[in-house]
Amino acid sequence: MVRPDDVTIGFVGAGVLGSGLALALSAAGWRVDAIASRTHASAERVASLIDGCAALESAQRVADACDLVFITTPDSAISAVAGSVRWRQDQGVTHCCGAASTELLASAQDTGAAVGAMHPFQTFAAIAGPDQAAERLQGVTFAVSATGWLAEFLPKLAASLGGSGIAIPEGMRPLYHASAVLSCGYLATLLDAAVGLWTSMGFAQEDGIRAAVPLARATIEAIERQGPGNAVTGPVVRGDADTVAAHLELLSQHAAHLLPLYRQLTEASLPLARAKGIAEPQLAQLRRTIGAPD
């Protein structure tokens, strides 16, 4: 029987997330004893940063050495790695894929292992090294699904990083992951569109980034303090259909590819405008301006 207060932790996969999580858990006081990777040199680099951690040659050797194994390989390899290892009864096995739950570890569960999924709601883009990855894991939300002793233990790990472990309802993991994509990947897409309008006006991309990022940052900070409904600004939540029409006219001339996105975002903003007190006749005029049905 595993004693949760004295768990030894290992990693299979020494990429950005695996190396960052290994460092973060070690810094939080947990025993990170072993790591393996497809490239042994990668495992050695991470192990050298953690006292008492050994770079091992295979996933099986990590499993033999540790009570809890995080499989932090690319998502497409998780099931194959889990199926290649001889797991012990009641051993812990966890992956960090956002879109899937414990079904990726069915082969480990069939042998009697406790299985889990622990995905950080965080981006690891533009990371310089494991130290920065570990910093980004501080205070974030982790989506946790688990069986056996991991059901209590994984949220405890999240709390030790200053974050929180939340249980995603059964079957809803892809919806959770879609929220992550909207919060991060598509936010970058939206800002790319905003910056592109600066280049359409003859400015350099750097000028657009320099202008857009402080505005976006202030908006995110306002959302954090007061929620989206209080942070939203712009012509839609003022009921200003004339400005929206002017936007559409020049977008059609200089960035026609953005017209569908602009119209869809305008329509998605109408409930926020209604909550702000914009009257129905003004909302109807906004719908007509963007060609949306009443």
Side-chain angles (χ1 to χ4, degrees), residues 119-124 136 140-143 176-181 183:
H119 175 260
F121 203 76
Q122 179 59 288
T123 177
F124 297 92
R136 286 200 186 176
V140 305
T141 295
F142 291 83
Y176 153 84
H177 195 247
S179 176
V181 172
S183 301

Side-chain angles (χ1 to χ4, degrees), residues 167-194:
I168 301 300
E170 186 67 27
M172 291 293 184
R173 196 99 177 179
L175 197 62
Y176 153 84
H177 195 247
S179 176
V181 172
L182 287 168
S183 301
C184 177
Y186 289 166
L187 178 59
T189 301
L190 184 60
L191 285 174
D192 179 66

